[in-house]
Amino acid sequence: MNAYEVNFDGLVGPTHNYSGLSFGNVASTSNSSAASNPKLAAQQGLAKMKALHDLGFKQGVLAPQERPDVAALRRLGFAGTDAEVIARAAKEAPTMLAAATSASSMWTANAATVSPSADTADGRVHFTPANLNNKFHRSIEHPTTRRVLAAMFADETRFAVHEALPAQMHFGDEGAANHTRFCADYGQAGVEFFVFGAAAFDGRYQKPARFPARQTLEASQAVARLHGLAADGVVFAQQDPDIIDAGVFHNDVISVGNREVLFHHQQAFLNQADVLEELSRKLAARGGCFAAIEVPRAEVTVEEAVKSYLFNSQLLSKPGGKMLIVVPEECRNIERVWGYLQKLAASGGPIDEVKVFDLKQSMQNGGGPACLRLRVALNEGELAAVNPRVLMSEALFATLNDWVERHYRDHLAPADLADPQLLQECRAALDELTRILGLGSVYPFQLG
């Protein structure tokens, strides 16, 4: 049975704004308080989805969240009608209102960790929504994320959608941003690669000094257990703590993998040679031939990698075995990074094509092409069981662009978050979106 990697991109929500909420994410904090353009952000994301669909890649859409999250604000003591809750929060705790209004679910690499059926003990595709416990504005996402995933992957004989891990610092889980998978073919058993920043219970592991380690070893191990992964099909590796302190808040800012290839920086992991050897050995035992493309710091520094989001790219397999790398416009604007990419494409290696997308609205908040998508490997039977209305097509692209045009603002400044009308606009948009995507009732305002 044929198998495919399907990329489900996050649809940017109507409240996309720059509030600088993500400590440790240099782009997010440096653009704090700038005005955003939610309409353009959604259009840029849709354009990337459609372009990859047109190139023959399997592409889906993951719905955004209801924002502002008035229920979260009520749990923090703000009472009254929805409008009164928003007004009180804006006056007494504007940062909390900004957190409750964040459109951060657009970065669906953080939505969940996914294990294909070829790897799991029960032969189902497993999803564990990330608890995103390190940041309040992200920690409130996972209940809705789970409902949306369950509406997309509803056949319980083929799919298992778990609850998030306990929302506690010892089990901080950031989803697929710290997870990738290597395989000879998407339908064959592979090796799942979990990257963590620190250990919660084991003092032998180093920790970053400046920025938080968002993913713990214990969370990665728990997800592997939940998904029924065999020990010989899993590798756990630690990010270099110094690189986290340099602004590499997730592993997908310093490395990206696809099939048998890992594209990574020289300073990505602690004990890097040992990590690469274990990946190679375990993948060979599963019929694969591991290839590591290491970018030397002499050619691209960590600072340049963070600024350009070189590694927050998508590696996509083309017919014939070669790969396309999808990068943001920022890579073309940094001379050394662009020079490296041109040399890479001409090297005769597995990556022979570079495709550039303008994702400035996302990039200014610290998320490139890889952040915007959740990878799900599916065989033909599983793909046929996915809710078909979330899969990209000419008709869906046109419908969603029209939907964005009618419901989204083209300017959103920090002061606009206090506008109670923004909540009503968001709810009206999402109510229509659930009908477009056939999701049923997944949002709190729909559930009563």
Side-chain angles (χ1 to χ4, degrees):
M1 190 180 295
N2 290 332
Y4 313 92
E5 180 183 83
V6 186
N7 285 281
F8 290 87
D9 277 38
L11 189 56
V12 179
T15 63
H16 164 62
N17 69 91
Y18 301 129
S19 295
L21 298 170
S22 190
F23 179 65
N25 180 332
V26 176
S28 171
T29 53
S30 63
N31 288 295
S32 175
S33 299
S36 65
N37 186 333
K39 182 177 292 186
L40 180 59
Q43 290 168 338
Q44 288 176 342
L46 282 167
K48 178 175 86 78
M49 295 183 223
K50 180 60 162 50
L52 295 180
H53 168 267
D54 289 348
L55 289 172
F57 298 106
K58 305 293 185 185
Q59 181 69 56
V61 179
L62 200 145
Q65 306 243 336
E66 176 188 347
R67 292 292 180 268
D69 188 336
V70 178
L73 293 173
R74 284 197 171 93
R75 290 197 300 274
L76 296 174
F78 300 102
T81 65
D82 291 344
E84 289 168 343
V85 166
I86 292 168
R88 282 195 61 191
K91 180 180 179 181
E92 300 173 21
T95 304
M96 291 184 191
L97 175 61
T101 312
S102 172
S104 54
S105 67
M106 62 194 276
W107 297 300
T108 54
N110 301 118
T113 303
V114 186
S115 294
S117 57
D119 295 352
T120 62
D122 64 4
R124 295 188 293 170
V125 184
H126 284 250
F127 301 81
T128 296
N131 62 26
L132 300 169
N133 192 63
N134 188 260
K135 299 285 181 286
F136 169 68
H137 69 286
R138 303 227 58 182
S139 70
I140 58 180
E141 292 176 14
H142 66 84
T144 295
T145 299
R146 186 183 186 281
R147 290 191 295 271
V148 171
L149 288 173
M152 295 166 62
F153 304 96
D155 184 348
E156 294 184 0
T157 67
R158 296 181 182 273
F159 308 117
V161 182
H162 299 279
E163 299 282 352
L165 297 181
Q168 207 275 341
M169 61 178 290
H170 294 83
F171 299 102
D173 178 25
E174 298 286 310
N178 284 322
H179 170 268
T180 193
R181 177 179 183 261
F182 301 99
C183 58
D185 183 82
Y186 294 124
Q188 294 180 9
V191 175
E192 302 204 18
F193 186 41
F194 292 85
V195 180
F196 62 95
F201 293 105
D202 193 332
R204 294 174 297 174
Y205 290 90
Q206 300 179 40
K207 294 184 178 180
R210 181 185 179 197
F211 291 138
R214 302 187 186 187
Q215 181 84 24
T216 67
L217 170 61
E218 292 79 1
S220 297
Q221 292 170 330
V223 171
R225 284 192 296 269
L226 281 171
H227 293 193
L229 305 182
D232 61 357
V234 174
V235 172
F236 299 101
Q238 185 174 8
Q239 267 188 278
D240 186 330
D242 292 338
I243 302 309
I244 294 176
D245 283 339
V248 181
F249 54 98
H250 288 138
N251 177 61
D252 67 1
V253 181
I254 204 69
S255 79
V256 59
N258 176 49
R259 297 278 291 264
E260 297 168 300
V261 174
L262 174 64
F263 180 55
H264 67 101
H265 195 270
Q266 181 181 351
Q267 296 172 264
F269 314 108
L270 279 183
N271 306 313
Q272 189 146 290
D274 293 340
V275 170
L276 300 180
E277 187 280 327
E278 185 179 0
L279 285 168
S280 179
R281 173 169 43 84
K282 288 187 172 180
L283 186 58
R286 297 197 166 202
C289 183
F290 182 70
I293 301 174
E294 184 170 290
V295 181
R297 58 176 169 261
E299 295 194 51
V300 177
T301 65
V302 171
E303 181 182 18
E304 289 169 328
V306 170
K307 188 174 181 180
S308 67
Y309 272 43
L310 168 62
F311 297 98
N312 196 243
S313 51
Q314 290 179 252
L315 280 182
L316 301 170
S317 295
K318 304 189 298 182
K322 293 290 187 175
M323 295 185 190
L324 163 71
I325 186 168
V326 174
V327 300
E329 183 71 38
E330 283 73 7
C331 284
R332 188 153 51 192
N333 297 335
I334 298 176
E335 183 177 354
R336 277 164 44 93
V337 171
W338 188 243
Y340 178 83
L341 282 169
Q342 299 310 296
K343 186 174 75 170
L344 175 70
S347 67
I351 303 171
D352 73 343
E353 184 180 356
V354 181
K355 193 165 184 64
V356 179
F357 283 93
D358 179 3
L359 299 168
K360 185 177 180 181
Q361 287 291 315
S362 175
M363 285 289 294
Q364 288 186 164
N365 238 349
C371 283
L372 287 165
R373 61 91 174 95
L374 181 68
R375 294 181 288 182
V376 185
L378 300 168
N379 63 38
E380 287 179 332
E382 292 157 353
L383 181 56
V386 174
N387 176 351
R389 291 166 69 175
V390 303
L391 298 176
M392 182 54 65
S393 65
E394 292 280 351
L396 181 60
F397 178 69
T399 298
L400 289 177
N401 267 299
D402 173 69
W403 173 80
V404 168
E405 188 65 37
R406 288 185 290 107
H407 288 289
Y408 279 52
R409 300 185 184 189
D410 59 13
H411 183 276
L412 197 64
D416 296 328
L417 303 186
D419 180 2
Q421 185 59 33
L422 185 62
L423 173 62
Q424 300 310 315
E425 293 171 11
C426 183
R427 286 177 173 173
L430 295 181
D431 202 39
E432 182 178 341
L433 182 66
T434 54
R435 295 193 294 274
I436 292 170
L437 299 180
L439 299 176
S441 296
V442 294
Y443 294 113
F445 74 92
Q446 295 173 320
L447 297 168

